[in-house]
């Protein structure tokens, strides 16, 4: 399919003017999606969001797969490209862009959460040969916090949880994520208050960088008229940010100027990286991978210690059970998500692929040829059977293990559902 290589990508924290500028760009001839694709206008945004619902759902899915959410400060894991979900999600994202925007001369999208997933998006852009122009909307984080406090939660078409005091931290993550995503690409930084005062200044800058976009006078008038009714000023100065860490104030001062400065941005990103390292959750604890079986009226077992690597790793267990014996045990001593690329027995007769089954509270699926165990904490988290060929056996399993609060919650919900059933 024919996909124009120069999309306009609108990023930035919610309530920072992303909807307003997207609506204006739509009136200037940028295809952002069909009317039925968007979240409909509501009391929180009477002029409309210009944000595709299915696209937002896909972004939520991407975040959830990496145990992130819409207000996440944590970035993608360092080895995220090794994770099987990286290919799964990039394939879905690639397919979505092709399906929605192929054949459109000038297209783009507004997706604030793409600021949190910038490395994933960058890989997809490169794979599709896209060279995006970025529009990064910025607003004083205290204004965003105040605007969020006025949101009619539960009654709008775009459901979301109130951020409250988390809004300032989320703003930093979104803003620096968006600015980092745009490095080396055509960029227009759009400070909220200045955009209200003179929207045509910023719209003209965006249009001048976009080949094939030649709005008529009527389109320019419609674009300008669409901005003002949708925005309310709540002016806050950088001085009001004095109680927050200096990186908040410095990021606001940098972005409010509206002029990219790569050296200054690099310093902010380096400082933020140090913050993220301090805020990074503890590494997964070491544990033992163990399997047990019944033999001659006794329970026998084998265990091997290991430390989760956050990437693919291999464990080997020596099994002295008889042929066709059911083994059961724990891959990890906490609720977990385990991607299994290979699992086989080696014995005197050769090699046999292991057939895996989940325990009562766990769940096993296969995606793109890789098995995924959603494991609860239970004695029979995983089950398998020794080959019919005589033993002893060496069991080798190549896996990537994930654990964390979201996976723990999912496991608890799974066990709860099973108990209700």
């Amino acid at each position: 399919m024919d996909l124009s290589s120069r999309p306009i990508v609108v990023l930035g924290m919610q309530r920072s003017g992303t909807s307003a500028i997207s609506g204006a760009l739509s009136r200037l001839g940028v295809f952002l999606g069909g009317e039925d694709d968007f979240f409909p206008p509501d009391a929180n945004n009477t002029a409309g969001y210009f944000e595709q619902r299915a696209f937002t759902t896909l972004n939520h899915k991407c975040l959830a797969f990496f145990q992130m959410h819409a207000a996440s400060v944590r970035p993608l894991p360092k080895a995220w490209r090794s994770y099987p979900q990286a290919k799964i999600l990039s394939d879905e994202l690639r397919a979505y862009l092709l399906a929605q925007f192929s054949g459109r001369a000038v297209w783009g999208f507004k997706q604030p959460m793409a600021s949190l997933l910038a490395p994933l998006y960058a890989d997809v852009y490169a794979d599709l040969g896209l060279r995006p122009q970025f529009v990064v909307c910025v607003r004083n984080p205290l204004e965003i916090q105040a605007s969020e406090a006025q949101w009619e939660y539960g009654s709008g078409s775009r459901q979301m949880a109130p951020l409250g005091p988390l809004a300032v931290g989320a703003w930093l993550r979104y803003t620096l994520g968006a600015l980092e995503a745009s490095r080396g690409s055509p960029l227009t930084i759009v400070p909220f208050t200045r955009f209200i005062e003179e929207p045509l200044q910023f719209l003209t800058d965006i249009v001048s960088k976009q080949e094939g976009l030649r709005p008529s006078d009527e389109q320019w008038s419609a674009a300008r008229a669409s901005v003002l009714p949708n925005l309310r000023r709540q002016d806050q100065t950088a001085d009001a940010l004095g109680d927050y860490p200096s990186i908040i104030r410095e990021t606001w001062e940098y972005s409010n100027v509206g002029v990219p400065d790569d050296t200054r941005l690099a310093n902010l990103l380096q400082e933020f990286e140090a913050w993220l390292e301090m805020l990074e959750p503890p590494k997964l604890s070491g544990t033992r991978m163990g399997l047990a079986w019944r033999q001659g009226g006794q329970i026998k077992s084998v265990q091997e210690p290991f430390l989760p690597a956050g990437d693919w790793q291999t464990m080997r267990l020596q099994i002295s059970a008889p042929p066709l014996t059911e083994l059961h045990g724990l891959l990890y001593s906490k609720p977990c998500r385990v991607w299994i690329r290979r699992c086989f027995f080696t014995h005197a007769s050769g090699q046999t692929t292991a057939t895996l089954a989940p325990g009562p509270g766990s769940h096993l699926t296969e995606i793109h040829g890789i098995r995924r165990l959603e494991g609860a904490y239970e004695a029979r988290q995983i089950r398998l059977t020794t080959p019919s060929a005589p033993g002893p056996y060496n069991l080798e399993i190549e896996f990537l293990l994930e654990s964390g609060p979201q996976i723990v919650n999912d496991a608890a919900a799974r066990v709860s559902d099973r108990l209700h059933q």
Side-chain angles (χ1 to χ4, degrees):
M1 287 184 281
D2 180 27
L3 187 65
S4 174
S5 64
R6 293 296 302 274
I8 297 175
V9 177
V10 179
L11 302 177
M13 178 72 177
Q14 60 200 25
R15 314 305 290 167
S16 62
T18 56
S19 297
I21 201 161
S22 297
L25 290 172
S26 177
R27 289 169 174 84
L28 291 174
V30 181
F31 179 78
L32 302 175
E35 197 68 32
D36 294 338
D37 298 328
F38 298 140
F39 287 101
D42 57 29
N44 296 314
N45 199 333
T46 56
Y49 293 91
F50 297 90
E51 180 178 332
Q52 294 193 28
R53 289 171 293 185
F55 208 166
T56 298
T57 298
L58 177 54
N59 276 302
H60 276 296
K61 179 180 178 179
C62 292
L63 290 170
F65 249 124
F66 287 108
Q67 298 190 75
M68 298 162 67
H69 52 80
S72 278
V73 174
R74 66 176 292 183
L76 292 170
K78 285 184 170 62
W80 69 270
R81 287 183 179 85
S82 297
Y83 287 42
Q85 59 259 50
K87 176 168 173 40
I88 295 167
L89 298 173
S90 62
D91 285 349
E92 288 192 35
L93 179 55
R94 185 186 305 107
Y96 189 90
L97 294 176
L98 288 168
Q100 292 294 315
F101 301 111
S102 289
R104 302 289 178 174
V106 182
W107 63 279
F109 59 84
K110 166 209 163 186
Q111 277 297 319
M113 282 184 289
S115 305
L116 308 180
L117 295 161
L120 175 65
Y121 272 77
D123 280 11
V124 173
Y125 297 151
D127 186 61
L128 290 172
L130 303 181
R131 296 174 292 117
Q133 175 187 174
F134 289 91
V135 177
V136 176
C137 298
V138 292
R139 186 180 187 182
N140 188 297
L142 296 181
E143 294 180 27
I144 287 178
Q145 190 174 47
S147 179
E148 273 232 323
Q150 299 169 5
W151 193 283
E152 295 182 19
Y153 292 98
S155 63
S157 64
R158 188 163 176 248
Q159 300 299 324
M160 50 185 278
L163 292 177
L166 299 177
V168 175
W171 172 87
L172 182 65
R173 177 71 177 87
Y174 273 80
T175 302
L176 287 178
L179 291 170
E180 184 174 25
S182 64
R183 293 178 78 181
S185 300
L187 167 65
T188 302
I189 300 176
V190 184
F192 182 87
T193 301
R194 290 170 56 199
F195 181 57
I196 297 175
E197 294 170 348
E198 189 46 70
L200 290 185
Q201 172 188 337
F202 298 96
L203 294 172
T204 300
D205 185 54
I206 296 167
V207 169
S208 69
K209 298 171 183 174
Q210 195 67 25
E211 298 175 6
L213 185 58
R214 299 289 182 269
S216 65
D217 290 343
E218 291 78 9
Q219 287 175 310
W220 278 112
S221 296
R224 190 182 194 287
S226 73
V227 173
L228 299 181
N230 193 39
L231 301 178
R232 289 176 292 180
R233 294 182 59 154
Q234 294 173 310
D235 292 346
Q236 293 278 357
T237 65
D239 293 339
L241 295 169
D243 292 336
Y244 291 91
S246 60
I247 189 173
I248 302 284
R249 184 180 65 257
E250 290 168 6
T251 299
W252 166 239
E253 290 173 344
Y254 167 81
S255 58
N256 191 45
V257 172
V259 179
D261 180 336
D262 197 61
T263 300
R264 192 175 178 191
L265 176 59
N267 291 336
L268 288 169
L269 292 172
Q270 185 176 13
E271 182 179 352
F272 189 53
E273 180 68 25
W275 274 94
L276 292 177
E277 288 180 4
M278 289 189 290
L279 295 171
E280 192 172 318
K283 295 187 183 299
L284 296 181
S285 58
T287 185
R288 290 178 176 271
M289 182 180 291
L291 294 171
W293 64 93
R294 185 177 293 276
Q295 184 176 347
Q298 295 182 324
I299 299 296
K300 297 193 174 184
S301 65
V302 60
Q303 299 181 51
E304 287 291 337
F306 81 97
L307 183 67
D311 206 334
W312 290 100
Q313 60 191 117
T314 300
M315 285 290 292
R316 296 173 180 85
L317 298 172
Q318 292 185 339
I319 310 292
S320 59
L324 300 178
T325 298
E326 182 179 280
L327 313 174
H328 60 82
L330 282 167
L331 297 184
Y332 190 60
S333 57
K334 295 178 182 177
C336 54
R337 178 193 295 145
V338 187
W339 301 89
I340 301 171
R341 191 152 61 185
R342 294 190 308 153
C343 185
F344 59 89
F345 292 97
T346 301
H347 44 82
S349 303
Q351 196 177 90
T352 303
T353 299
T355 301
L356 304 178
S362 300
H363 186 61
L364 186 69
T365 54
E366 185 171 314
I367 302 176
H368 297 299
I370 298 176
R371 285 164 286 187
R372 184 181 73 189
L373 176 74
E374 303 287 351
Y377 177 63
E378 55 182 341
R380 295 175 179 265
Q381 191 182 74
I382 192 76
R383 294 181 290 124
L384 58 161
T385 303
T386 57
S388 58
Y393 313 100
N394 285 318
L395 176 67
E396 182 170 311
I397 178 169
E398 184 184 15
F399 64 97
L400 188 152
L401 185 143
E402 301 175 75
S403 190
Q406 181 173 314
I407 288 174
V408 171
N409 292 339
D410 290 347
R414 238 182 1 260
V415 172
S416 176
D417 288 344
R418 187 171 182 86
L419 289 173
H420 283 302
Q421 293 169 9

